[in-house]
Amino acid sequence: RPVDRRMMLAGMIGRQVAVRVAPRRAMAGGCKLHKNYYAEEWNGRREITDKTFVLSSKNVPWILLTCVAFPLVVHGLVKTEMEKTNNSDVPEHIRKVGTL
């Protein structure tokens, strides 16, 4: 039994040594960089947006504007531009997809 304890002790020491000996990686160029407090704060707030977001009458118009109205306006502009230029590079079966 004393041999098993020595083997176990050697294994534990070997693992600890391996962790301590592992080289620490540095940023490119080897210079020390300081984190930007404001960038880190913004990143933290961005990560928890799904937990802090509250749907209210103040944000509903902005959500509708960005998710519904803006894409419809862009689609309409692109479609009229394509109709005006009579783009012959687009195959006929694809050109008919957007028409009613």
Side-chain angles (χ1 to χ4, degrees):
R1 285 273 192 245
V3 175
D4 294 335
R5 287 184 190 162
R6 285 187 209 148
M7 297 277 285
M8 190 166 60
L9 182 61
M12 288 174 27
I13 292 172
R15 278 183 279 213
Q16 290 174 354
V17 170
V19 171
R20 285 189 210 140
V21 175
R24 184 178 173 104
R25 295 181 183 212
M27 298 295 285
C31 62
K32 293 187 178 184
L33 299 175
H34 300 285
K35 291 183 178 181
N36 185 342
Y37 172 78
Y38 299 104
E40 295 297 324
E41 183 70 22
W42 173 78
N43 189 29
R45 289 180 187 264
R46 197 185 85 194
E47 288 177 355
I48 62 168
T49 299
D50 58 340
K51 296 177 184 159
T52 59
F53 178 75
V54 177
L55 186 64
S56 66
S57 60
K58 194 174 182 180
N59 2 6
V60 169
W62 286 107
I63 293 170
L64 291 175
L65 182 72
T66 56
C67 295
V68 177
F70 180 72
L72 286 174
V73 169
V74 170
H75 173 73
L77 291 172
V78 170
K79 186 174 176 183
T80 55
E81 181 68 23
M82 294 284 282
E83 289 170 352
K84 283 181 185 177
T85 58
N86 194 10
N87 194 350
S88 59
D89 295 339
V90 180
E92 187 65 32
H93 69 280
I94 294 176
R95 219 178 302 161
K96 288 183 178 181
V97 169
T99 60
L100 295 175

